[in-house]
Amino acid sequence: MQEDFLHYIWNHKTIDLEDLKTSDGESVTIIATGAHNENAGPDFFNAHIRIGTQLWAGNLEIHIKSSDWYSHNHEQDSAYDNVILHVVWEHDTEVFRKDNSVIPTLILKPYIPKAALANYSTLFHTKHQWINCEPKFPFLDAFKLQNWFERLFIERLERKALEVFALLEASKNDWEAVLFKMLAKNFGLKVNGDAFLSMAETIDFAILRKTQHNPLQIEALLFGQSQLLEPVVEEGYYKSLKYEYDFLKQKFSLETTGVIKPLFFRLRPHNFPTIRLSQLANLYHNHQNVFSKLIAAQSLAEIYTIFEVQTSAFWESHYTFSNTSKTLKKALSKAFIELLIINTIIPIKFAYAKYKGQTEVTALLELIAKIPSEKNTIVDTFNSLEKVSKNALASQALLQLKTEYCDKRKCLKCAIGNALIRNKTL
């Protein structure tokens, strides 16, 4: 038995509420269970409970055993002076207030439905290959699961919004600068995301604004700050970049301290940092005020249009400075743009709406639902249990579900776990 389960039982009133009695035989009527407190202090604040004929308002503490009160030194903590009821699984000792009056005790064990106990035991104590609810997952109700996915997706956006606001503070409330950093990270994908972000963080966005009208200068800025202009290469385009970068470095006192040099190893050529940086440079050369345009964009078609960019001419026949390749225009693919929408555009739209005091998320839900599901190990494994990821909203929700609920065994906070314990169909 875990204390979290008793918290769940109390919070959701998953007990037989009829004929509740304290360990001393006094009747107990739950008027309000109180507000669940997950920080230090009593487990529930401001509960309203009638014990016998007396109506009490105060805090409530839950333990596996009554003696845990003393094991946790609550008798020495004034935060527990206003506890009106001690709720336990087993009652093995009386607990007293500072005035030596007994704190009433409610023993939950006799009142918890056997089915709930059995379902809890099955969920938490049966070994499964991947997630606790694995045997039940294929039988979940699709409509109700969709509602849970929407909540999970919004949770994920809330977490990402915190990252956006941290960047906003570091960028002195310049949303264009925030977008540049986020795009840089996601242009680098998993392998070079941190490297590209470290590069972007060394560039004052005002410098990028001053260079974006000149395609050679903005490429020189990004390549130079990424430390990709070392060592020297005997090639005309490279020399032009190096000349421009040396000029910019001196003019703006550019530093590369803390920059992580991008990797080429085990990357497909189209994802080489040279190609992605050239595409990023051309995005900002082609569009002034990228942030404003993306915030104004209401449809996928509008966003796709903004990201219709490719490399500069040199990279059409190169993947590195030294070696030539078959001439090929290297534009951003639709799949790559969709990754940018999922990981950059929608999170920053959500964060900006919160910043402006707007709470409506329907448009964002509709937008991401039109994007195909991502493919990764987590999504593929869920789909092997039951085909549930039909769009990017679902795949993002599944990532949130696995990392924040399943891996942390937070089944009691999950809509699926809740439904299974209550023996209801989700």
Side-chain angles (χ1 to χ4, degrees):
M1 179 56 59
Q2 297 293 320
E3 198 170 288
D4 282 352
F5 179 59
L6 300 185
H7 287 205
Y8 168 85
I9 290 294
W10 181 261
N11 199 28
H12 294 275
K13 294 184 179 180
T14 312
I15 54 176
D16 185 355
L17 298 176
E18 299 295 327
D19 201 29
L20 293 178
K21 294 186 182 297
T22 69
S23 59
D24 290 337
E26 288 193 281
S27 62
V28 176
T29 303
I30 303 172
I31 298 169
T33 56
H36 194 192
N37 171 38
E38 300 190 48
N39 300 311
D43 294 320
F44 288 83
F45 291 141
N46 198 30
H48 289 71
I49 299 169
R50 180 175 284 107
I51 302 174
T53 59
Q54 179 68 47
L55 178 62
W56 295 83
N59 302 331
L60 181 141
E61 181 69 6
I62 294 179
H63 287 125
I64 301 299
K65 296 181 178 180
S66 302
S67 55
D68 290 340
W69 181 277
Y70 298 107
S71 300
H72 300 164
N73 299 314
H74 293 336
E75 78 280 6
Q76 300 174 19
D77 191 340
S78 60
Y80 293 83
D81 289 350
N82 194 31
V83 169
I84 60 173
L85 183 66
H86 195 198
V87 178
V88 301
W89 176 250
E90 295 179 4
H91 184 45
D92 59 350
T93 189
E94 298 289 356
V95 172
F96 297 88
R97 299 185 179 93
K98 287 184 177 180
D99 63 0
N100 288 324
S101 61
V102 176
I103 299 177
T105 299
L106 174 64
I107 306 169
L108 278 184
K109 184 186 291 187
Y111 302 107
I112 299 177
K114 291 182 180 179
L117 283 172
N119 293 336
Y120 168 77
S121 180
T122 299
L123 192 60
F124 279 93
H125 301 299
T126 302
K127 291 184 178 180
H128 302 302
Q129 291 184 337
W130 197 56
I131 57 175
N132 285 357
C133 63
E134 188 168 322
K136 300 290 186 180
F137 194 82
F139 307 102
L140 302 176
D141 180 87
F143 177 76
K144 294 180 180 178
L145 192 62
Q146 175 65 25
N147 291 335
W148 179 224
F149 280 180
E150 290 182 4
R151 287 164 54 193
L152 288 168
F153 174 62
I154 293 170
E155 276 186 20
R156 191 165 178 82
L157 285 182
E158 291 283 2
R159 178 182 61 77
K160 290 184 177 183
L162 295 178
E163 299 172 3
V164 175
F165 291 137
L167 289 174
L168 184 65
E169 183 177 1
S171 303
K172 299 179 181 178
N173 286 339
D174 187 338
W175 282 96
E176 289 281 359
V178 172
L179 176 64
F180 171 64
K181 292 177 183 179
M182 292 179 66
L183 283 174
K185 180 177 181 179
N186 286 298
F187 263 72
L189 299 173
K190 287 185 178 180
V191 173
N192 285 316
D194 289 340
F196 278 23
L197 177 60
S198 70
M199 171 274 295
E201 288 179 331
T202 66
I203 300 174
D204 186 323
F205 196 72
I207 298 173
L208 190 139
R209 285 190 175 100
K210 293 175 181 177
T211 59
Q212 66 184 137
H213 67 282
N214 184 323
L216 185 65
Q217 277 198 344
I218 192 170
E219 275 200 346
L221 177 65
L222 300 190
F223 276 84
Q225 287 302 104
S226 296
Q227 303 182 83
L228 290 177
L229 297 181
E230 303 170 5
V232 174
V233 176
E234 292 299 322
E235 201 287 326
Y237 171 71
Y238 171 89
K239 290 181 178 179
S240 297
L241 285 179
K242 189 72 167 63
Y243 175 82
E244 291 292 344
Y245 176 67
D246 288 343
F247 167 75
L248 294 172
K249 184 176 182 179
Q250 183 175 9
K251 180 178 180 180
F252 297 113
S253 301
L254 296 172
E255 296 286 344
T256 57
T257 304
V259 172
I260 303 168
K261 192 169 183 178
L263 301 174
F264 289 77
F265 185 59
R266 290 183 178 176
L267 284 173
R268 292 179 179 179
H270 275 75
N271 286 329
F272 276 7
T274 46
I275 304 305
R276 293 306 184 196
L277 285 176
S278 180
Q279 291 166 337
L280 180 61
N282 275 284
L283 171 66
Y284 277 90
H285 170 64
N286 293 347
H287 296 282
Q288 305 293 313
N289 305 317
V290 180
F291 171 78
S292 300
K293 290 183 178 181
L294 288 172
I295 290 298
Q298 299 297 312
S299 67
L300 288 179
E302 292 176 85
I303 297 174
Y304 290 142
T305 299
I306 294 170
F307 284 102
E308 286 180 351
V309 295
Q310 54 193 37
T311 65
S312 56
F314 176 83
W315 297 108
E316 292 176 4
S317 58
H318 293 76
Y319 289 101
T320 65
F321 285 110
S322 303
N323 301 316
T324 59
S325 62
K326 181 180 178 181
T327 300
L328 178 69
K329 289 187 181 297
K330 301 180 178 73
L332 294 179
S333 68
K334 183 179 179 182
F336 187 83
I337 296 171
E338 287 168 351
L339 285 178
L340 294 178
I341 295 171
I342 293 168
N343 296 309
T344 302
I345 310 310
I346 289 180
I348 205 166
K349 277 177 170 283
F350 178 79
Y352 185 68
K354 283 179 67 73
Y355 179 79
K356 301 289 285 185
Q358 300 165 1
T359 58
E360 180 57 52
V361 297
T362 302
L364 293 181
L365 293 175
E366 292 174 351
L367 191 66
I368 196 166
K370 293 176 182 176
I371 299 174
S373 171
E374 301 157 274
K375 294 182 179 180
N376 52 56
T377 301
I378 289 176
V379 173
D380 292 346
T381 307
F382 271 114
N383 280 338
S384 71
L385 300 177
E386 180 68 14
K387 181 69 175 178
V388 291
S389 188
K390 300 176 181 179
N391 54 42
L393 188 156
S395 60
Q396 284 286 291
L398 290 171
L399 293 175
Q400 181 74 4
L401 176 62
K402 183 64 168 64
T403 57
E404 297 301 320
Y405 290 85
C406 302
D407 289 350
K408 297 178 180 179
R409 293 172 63 83
K410 290 186 175 180
C411 304
L412 298 177
K413 297 183 182 298
C414 171
I416 297 171
N418 270 243
L420 294 178
I421 288 175
R422 294 183 178 200
N423 199 22
K424 293 182 178 180
T425 301
L426 177 69

